[in-house]
Amino acid sequence: MRRTATLTLCALALAPALAQAESGVARRAAEARAAGVAAAYGARPAAVVKAAAAPAAAVQAAKITADSTPGAAMMAVMPAAAAASMPVSSAVAAAGPAQMPAQTPASTQSKAATAAQPPSQCRGNIYLTFDTGSQAQATLIAETLQKHRIKASFFLANEKTVNGDYSLDPSWGPYWKARLAEGHVIGSHTFDHDVLVRDGKAGQLEVKPGFGASAGKLRSLTPEQYCGEIRRVDQRFVELTGSHLDPLWRAPAGRTSPRALAAARSCGYSHVGWSPAGFSGDELPSEKYSNASLLAKSLRDLRGGDIVLIHMGIWSRKDAWAPANLEPLITGLSQRGFCFATLRDHPDYSSSFKRP
């Protein structure tokens, strides 16, 4: 009875996202999230997806949706009992700051590192994406991607770093210039890491910035102002590198609404969430979710076409994810026959990029 009741609540919670998703990327992301939550509770995905047909009153109960919120992703990685007892506020607020497969022989790792797999032999593409954070792992990430000749996608906000500066300060200009020269995709994560709280009155959007003059305070923005927060990253990026961002953005915490998505589209940005299996878990407390268990889950569950979310350092996680997991993740997925690509090559986003 308890499992049934819990599943019902999850289904009703996800129904608005399925019903409100316009089409294409948004609907597929909502369906993927439904499947991920259903799987976490031991149910068949269809049981949750079917909840999209819930009464209109239930569908209208929630307005804010997420392409893949940390809350949904946490549920996908947690046992059912733990997920059922986790407060929603804990899931949404995770910001900052888990069985290890057999170790890969060093000779095999070296071969994987120096020989990129021909596209014709790929089982499918995995899309690695990196959001700014404490930047403690920024150099390691860049070196690992270079070593394996992998191009990825980055989403930038102006976040405080372990160096005492901010990730869009001039001191980070050379780093971003180098990533640009390597051919990575680079998009916006909103300048002050503005987490959407809810749709406000009179068509406005209420957000809570993580940084800047209004950090931690509720702000009410018009759609134009919300769009401006996305564009501020582009403006700074041009100052640092002389080049514009790619036409993609990721909402902080993955929290969106139809109003927010429409605002971003009006200024030329397509939203990118992440796949349920693509939640790396690097935001979770390492005391409960070890790097070994998170790596094992990723290697077991990731499939071709999945978008993986990784941060460039999380303040609150004591045992940092990237030093232990990034290289084994890349090597393990390569051994399973997967290749890596940027979102420029993702079928849902390739049309967003202007062709010469």
Side-chain angles (χ1 to χ4, degrees):
M1 289 290 293
R2 181 175 181 180
R3 174 176 286 188
T4 301
T6 304
L7 250 182
T8 301
L9 287 173
C10 286
L12 290 176
L14 288 162
L18 287 167
Q20 291 176 355
E22 301 165 354
S23 63
V25 179
R27 180 162 188 84
R28 283 191 290 276
E31 289 173 347
R33 187 165 73 263
V37 175
Y41 282 86
R44 295 163 61 183
V48 178
V49 175
K50 188 177 180 181
V59 171
Q60 292 300 319
K63 295 296 184 184
I64 303 298
T65 68
D67 282 357
S68 288
T69 66
M74 287 180 189
M75 287 184 178
V77 81
M78 291 180 178
S85 61
M86 182 180 65
V88 174
S89 59
S90 298
V92 174
Q99 243 134 274
M100 173 69 78
Q103 290 293 321
T104 305
S107 59
T108 305
Q109 290 184 1
S110 177
K111 186 179 292 183
T114 57
Q117 192 165 12
S120 60
Q121 298 180 20
C122 294
R123 291 177 58 191
N125 283 329
I126 299 293
Y127 302 89
L128 299 180
T129 69
F130 298 88
D131 291 359
T132 48
S134 71
Q135 301 302 93
Q137 313 308 320
T139 299
L140 171 70
I141 289 168
E143 291 174 348
T144 304
L145 294 176
Q146 289 171 347
K147 176 181 177 181
H148 291 269
R149 293 186 286 179
I150 289 174
K151 291 181 175 59
S153 303
F154 293 79
F155 292 94
L156 281 51
N158 193 39
E159 305 191 47
K160 188 173 182 179
T161 84
V162 291
N163 299 334
D165 56 6
Y166 287 80
S167 53
L168 290 176
D169 279 352
S171 52
W172 282 88
Y175 182 90
W176 298 125
K177 276 186 178 181
R179 305 294 78 77
L180 191 66
E182 291 163 355
H184 301 288
V185 163
I186 304 180
S188 176
H189 199 33
T190 74
F191 195 86
D192 287 329
H193 201 269
D194 298 293
V195 177
L196 179 65
V197 177
R198 56 181 167 264
D199 284 345
K201 298 179 180 179
Q204 296 195 326
L205 295 141
E206 295 186 3
V207 303
K208 185 170 288 188
F211 302 93
S214 300
K217 301 175 182 178
L218 197 64
R219 296 184 66 199
S220 186
L221 305 176
T222 65
E224 292 76 16
Q225 290 172 323
Y226 188 79
C227 179
E229 290 303 307
I230 298 173
R231 279 179 160 169
R232 282 181 69 193
V233 181
D234 180 66
Q235 293 164 358
R236 178 63 62 84
F237 194 71
V238 170
E239 293 173 6
L240 296 178
T241 70
S243 298
H244 287 280
L245 293 176
D246 291 302
L248 303 177
W249 74 293
R250 172 172 285 158
R255 290 179 62 83
T256 68
S257 72
R259 187 180 297 174
L261 293 172
R265 280 197 305 273
S266 72
C267 55
Y269 290 87
S270 299
H271 186 259
V272 179
W274 55 91
S275 308
F279 179 68
S280 67
D282 63 0
E283 298 174 78
L284 301 173
S286 52
E287 306 91 284
K288 294 182 179 180
Y289 302 95
S290 70
N291 285 326
S293 64
L294 293 175
L295 175 61
K297 182 183 183 301
S298 293
L299 290 175
R300 181 189 70 230
D301 295 346
L302 284 170
R303 298 291 184 270
D306 281 347
I307 298 173
V308 182
L309 168 68
I310 304 168
H311 292 83
M312 302 179 74
I314 292 293
W315 286 97
S316 61
R317 186 172 173 89
K318 295 179 181 179
D319 187 10
W321 182 92
N325 282 11
L326 183 57
E327 178 109 26
L329 178 67
I330 291 172
T331 302
L333 290 173
S334 296
Q335 291 174 341
R336 287 179 57 198
F338 293 112
C339 296
F340 300 89
T342 71
L343 293 168
R344 185 180 290 108
D345 299 312
H346 193 289
D348 290 336
Y349 300 103
S350 57
S351 62
S352 298
F353 292 81
K354 294 180 179 179
R355 301 296 181 183

